[in-house]
Amino acid sequence: MKTLVIVAHPDFDGSPTQNFLKASGQLMPDVTYHVLDQLYPDYQIDVAKERAILAAHTQIIFQFPLYWYSAPTALKAWLDQVLQTKDEERLPNYTGKTLGLVVATGTAEKQFDPGGSEQFTLAEILRPYQALAHKLQMTYRTPLIISQFSYLTEIQKQRLLIQYQQYLTMTATNFTAQTDWFVQRLVQLQQKKPDQPQLAAILATITANQEQLADLKATLALMKGEISDGSN
Amino acid sequence: MKTLVIVAHPDFDGSPTQNFLKASGQLMPDVTYHVLDQLYPDYQIDVAKERAILAAHTQIIFQFPLYWYSAPTALKAWLDQVLQTKDEERLPNYTGKTLGLVVATGTAEKQFDPGGSEQFTLAEILRPYQALAHKLQMTYRTPLIISQFSYLTEIQKQRLLIQYQQYLTMTATNFTAQTDWFVQRLVQLQQKKPDQPQLAAILATITANQEQLADLKATLALMKGEISDGSN
């Protein structure tokens, strides 16, 4: 799966959040970074080029800080120009692609809860993007929200790094998909650094756990079958 | 009450809807028109000037066609630049001002109803503007939606003209406020055209009706009082 991260931020280089995310995301294979404000500082989008890039990716991520309850100007300029259908040009087919959002807020996440100071939830505030995904027949993913990045502890930042990398490279986030993702990452790391015995040990443990879990699931399924056989 | 209509439309002069609204709105006193795409074709907003204009108006209307579930680029550029608080400059006080929306859609209004093709209601899609009003301690008005203007009949357009003029110049839309509004407009018209006896006749009828209605209300209140006295 190829992921295109479309970033809208008027001061991308000066943003600690965006720098952290870019450093995390660029470690991943098949991830393209696309910083609109740097590519198009005057908001004049190269529509043909953008459509070609869209066509080459299956997952599109809009990544931005929330400014007045929506993305900054650059993303709106991109949407208005790239998606417009007035001309005869054929639009790329968006059907089946995935749309994800990575949204940074300066306000604490709990202020968007019912009773919080913001009056509306982030799910509601981000509805226009969900409506867009629906219109384009894209699959809308639960947004990844990053609240008050500068207040995060080191541990929280490490967790965010994993979450973010998974968001960019996985479409499902269930337990099996997550362990598979870790195993895959460890195997890649081991290939790069074959002289680290700890990696092999961790991999062996996780793989053993996965096998044990698979056995337990099979036993459970068998027991359910027996009970169900007995009662019928 | 002074009303500022901030319009975002990349082709204002070429839009039948916007031309119709402007022709209707400009007949009203105390209404300022402000077409962002014409004032700032490169999206570089004159922030100090805009804040001074804002300070001079009590009602702010954002008027725009819905492009990909939000206002066109020009309004987002205006919001991002005029409302930003990074610099030391003092923001104008928005508390107590009113925020209204006049939104044109190319999609039939019923498609935004539950079960319609758009999946979300317009109230939901416009939530970011409601959240903005809440943040700025402004009073949010129910948006005026104009769906598929080009399909409207002449009668529907005349109704829209009245609705729009009322939206720009009234804050309440109950029955008494609406008749008062009509009387006021007729008095103004009569002053401009004193040689039209029909106007005087219409005015006399409406005024008589209003008096009769006031009498009926007083009688009703009296009857309620008597019943309530009798039962206690």
Side-chain angles (χ1 to χ4, degrees):
Chain A
M1 185 182 67
K2 284 188 148 192
T3 298
L4 174 64
V5 183
I6 296 177
V7 187
H9 195 301
D11 181 22
F12 181 79
D13 287 335
S15 160
T17 317
Q18 295 301 328
N19 280 317
F20 176 85
L21 294 179
K22 194 182 179 188
S24 315
Q26 278 187 334
L27 297 173
M28 309 306 294
D30 292 325
V31 171
T32 311
Y33 262 79
H34 209 63
V35 183
L36 295 182
D37 299 80
Q38 293 181 344
L39 290 162
Y40 308 111
D42 59 357
Y43 305 129
Q44 295 305 309
I45 314 292
D46 184 338
V47 172
K49 189 183 150 198
E50 292 298 314
R51 289 185 182 175
I53 294 172
L54 275 175
H57 291 83
T58 47
Q59 173 164 253
I60 316 298
I61 308 278
F62 293 156
Q63 179 174 309
F64 55 85
L66 201 62
Y67 281 6
W68 309 110
Y69 307 102
S70 66
T73 309
L75 184 61
K76 188 60 205 183
W78 186 91
L79 289 172
D80 282 358
Q81 293 173 54
V82 174
L83 300 182
Q84 65 106 4
T85 49
K86 267 181 204 158
D87 51 23
E88 296 298 306
E89 220 174 322
R90 203 164 149 261
L91 274 175
N93 186 5
Y94 302 103
T95 308
K97 288 187 196 286
T98 300
L99 180 66
L101 302 181
V102 176
V103 180
T105 73
T107 306
E109 203 166 350
K110 68 173 188 291
Q111 297 302 340
F112 294 96
D113 286 342
S117 65
E118 296 291 333
Q119 204 183 30
F120 300 108
T121 65
L122 280 165
E124 278 178 286
I125 286 163
L126 297 171
R127 210 68 95 194
Y129 301 100
Q130 191 175 359
L132 178 71
H134 175 73
K135 185 71 149 192
L136 300 176
Q137 299 185 283
M138 295 173 79
T139 304
Y140 185 67
R141 294 185 66 184
T142 306
L144 176 63
I145 306 295
I146 303 165
S147 289
Q148 301 186 305
F149 174 80
S150 53
Y151 297 160
L152 296 186
T153 63
E154 274 314 304
I155 296 285
Q156 288 173 321
K157 281 185 187 167
Q158 281 170 27
R159 268 194 214 124
L160 172 61
L161 185 145
I162 300 293
Q163 266 193 305
Y164 181 66
Q165 289 187 343
Q166 290 186 337
Y167 198 81
L168 298 192
T169 54
M170 289 166 56
T171 48
T173 46
N174 57 47
F175 179 76
T176 312
Q178 279 175 326
T179 48
D180 285 349
W181 184 88
F182 273 109
V183 170
Q184 208 184 335
R185 295 280 296 149
L186 286 169
V187 168
Q188 282 169 359
L189 204 57
Q190 204 189 19
Q191 281 162 352
K192 277 185 205 158
K193 300 180 178 181
D195 52 342
Q196 300 226 347
Q198 291 145 308
L199 280 177
I202 293 170
L203 249 178
T205 310
I206 292 181
T207 312
N209 283 349
Q210 279 186 308
E211 280 164 12
Q212 207 179 348
L213 199 66
D215 283 349
L216 283 167
K217 276 184 184 165
T219 311
L220 201 64
L222 206 65
M223 284 168 70
K224 275 185 186 165
E226 276 169 12
I227 291 165
S228 144
D229 285 347
S231 67
N232 281 339
Chain B
M1 184 182 70
K2 283 186 148 193
T3 298
L4 175 63
V5 183
I6 297 177
V7 188
H9 195 301
D11 182 21
F12 182 79
D13 288 334
S15 159
T17 317
Q18 295 301 328
N19 281 318
F20 176 85
L21 294 178
K22 195 182 178 187
S24 315
Q26 278 187 335
L27 297 172
M28 309 305 295
D30 292 326
V31 171
T32 310
Y33 262 79
H34 209 63
V35 183
L36 296 181
D37 300 80
Q38 293 181 344
L39 291 162
Y40 309 110
D42 59 356
Y43 306 128
Q44 294 305 309
I45 313 292
D46 183 339
V47 172
K49 188 182 150 200
E50 292 299 314
R51 288 185 182 174
I53 294 172
L54 275 175
H57 292 83
T58 47
Q59 174 164 251
I60 317 297
I61 309 278
F62 293 156
Q63 179 174 308
F64 56 84
L66 201 63
Y67 281 7
W68 308 109
Y69 308 102
S70 67
T73 309
L75 185 61
K76 187 61 206 183
W78 185 92
L79 290 171
D80 282 359
Q81 293 174 53
V82 174
L83 300 182
Q84 65 107 3
T85 49
K86 267 179 204 159
D87 52 23
E88 295 299 304
E89 219 175 322
R90 202 164 149 261
L91 273 175
N93 185 3
Y94 302 102
T95 309
K97 289 187 197 286
T98 301
L99 180 66
L101 302 182
V102 176
V103 180
T105 72
T107 306
E109 204 165 350
K110 67 172 189 292
Q111 297 301 341
F112 294 96
D113 287 341
S117 66
E118 296 291 332
Q119 203 182 32
F120 300 109
T121 65
L122 280 165
E124 278 178 285
I125 286 162
L126 298 170
R127 208 68 97 196
Y129 301 99
Q130 191 175 0
L132 178 70
H134 176 74
K135 185 69 149 195
L136 300 176
Q137 299 185 283
M138 295 173 81
T139 305
Y140 185 67
R141 294 186 65 184
T142 306
L144 176 63
I145 307 295
I146 303 166
S147 289
Q148 301 186 305
F149 175 79
S150 52
Y151 297 160
L152 296 186
T153 62
E154 274 313 304
I155 296 285
Q156 287 174 323
K157 281 185 186 167
Q158 280 170 29
R159 270 194 212 124
L160 172 61
L161 185 146
I162 300 292
Q163 266 192 306
Y164 181 66
Q165 289 188 342
Q166 290 186 337
Y167 198 82
L168 297 192
T169 54
M170 290 167 56
T171 48
T173 45
N174 58 46
F175 180 75
T176 313
Q178 280 176 324
T179 48
D180 285 350
W181 184 87
F182 272 109
V183 169
Q184 210 183 332
R185 293 281 296 147
L186 286 170
V187 168
Q188 283 170 359
L189 205 57
Q190 204 189 18
Q191 281 163 354
K192 278 186 205 157
K193 300 181 178 181
D195 52 341
Q196 301 226 346
Q198 289 145 308
L199 279 178
I202 294 170
L203 248 178
T205 310
I206 293 181
T207 313
N209 284 350
Q210 279 187 308
E211 279 165 13
Q212 208 181 346
L213 198 65
D215 282 350
L216 282 169
K217 276 184 184 166
T219 311
L220 200 64
L222 205 66
M223 283 167 71
K224 274 185 188 166
E226 276 170 13
I227 291 166
S228 144
D229 285 348
S231 67
N232 281 340

